[in-house]
Amino acid sequence: MPPRVAAALREAGLRPAGPLGRGTGAPRWTALAPDGSRWAVTEVPAVRAEAARQRATRLSRIDHPYLAQAGPVLDLADGDVAVLVSAEPGTDLDVLLAAREPLDPEEAVGVLEPLAGALAALHDAGLVHGALDTGAVVLTEHGPVLVDLGEPGRRDPTPSARADDVAALAALGTALIGDPGAAVAAVCRQPGGDAASFGGRVAACGPGRSVT
């Protein structure tokens, strides 16, 4: 972690911790709060600092159980900032898939329906994710959580950009499902519509269950 980022975290009452991986391309680190909560930290250059602040403000207004929560934006030298988003305790979906067979249809519904709801909340707030893949999903005790939200400079939240998010979620579903003949697999092959309607079609495929 760069010393200036670590210093800003300490000044904010947080303890710098280890690396978290690159996320959408930028290096990320973790920080621990006194209450034990954990934050993902991304350094953003000055040219995108204002966009990062605006995105964090919009994210902070969303309260959704399957969407990571926005934290503070910390000032660094030369106009750069450090963006904090909650780092959810759990297992990254791509890590889990590397260690086991593809998901059965019920598990796929249990992942895709909550994530569609999270995307819908993001879109309703005038934001898009822009980098949705298995690395942007953490499986927690209460379900899948969409993470990797803090990087600004993604496409504007146009209908096309929102449709791209839904298509990315559908592509993720196609990659997850072990049974290509399952009803939920068919929905993923022809997503269409917005995130909410996609989630409704997924839910209609049958009850979901947690991934184990």
Side-chain angles (χ1 to χ4, degrees):
M1 181 183 296
R4 66 179 189 161
V5 175
L9 291 171
R10 293 190 185 97
E11 187 174 345
L14 302 170
R15 179 166 64 85
L20 189 60
R22 296 192 65 84
T24 55
R28 297 180 302 164
W29 304 274
T30 53
L32 300 177
D35 63 2
S37 58
R38 195 165 66 116
W39 298 93
V41 183
T42 304
E43 188 175 9
V44 177
V47 67
R48 298 204 306 276
E50 183 55 33
R53 292 185 190 281
Q54 292 179 9
R55 184 175 180 85
T57 297
R58 289 188 176 186
L59 284 172
S60 69
R61 295 172 182 155
I62 306 173
D63 183 14
H64 193 279
Y66 303 116
L67 195 67
Q69 298 300 300
V73 177
L74 307 180
D75 292 321
L76 305 175
D78 303 320
D80 298 347
V81 296
V83 176
L84 277 67
V85 177
S86 62
E88 301 295 325
T91 303
D92 290 357
L93 183 57
D94 55 0
V95 172
L96 179 133
L97 289 177
R100 55 154 285 175
E101 298 295 322
L103 305 188
D104 63 37
E106 292 79 12
E107 289 176 319
V109 170
V111 170
L112 294 172
E113 183 186 1
L115 293 181
L119 265 189
L122 200 63
H123 293 171
D124 287 346
L127 299 170
V128 293
H129 189 280
L132 204 164
D133 59 18
T134 55
V137 179
V138 174
L139 301 174
T140 73
E141 290 183 350
H142 65 272
V145 175
L146 187 58
V147 300
D148 201 10
L149 303 175
E151 177 67 13
R154 297 174 182 163
R155 295 179 60 189
D156 293 333
T158 62
S160 176
R162 292 191 288 269
D164 286 348
D165 269 353
V166 177
L169 180 58
L172 181 151
T174 299
L176 293 180
I177 302 167
D179 178 5
V184 64
V187 170
C188 289
R189 285 194 294 270
Q190 294 184 323
D194 59 19
S197 64
F198 175 73
R201 292 195 301 277
V202 168
C205 294
R209 63 183 175 85
S210 298
V211 178
T212 56

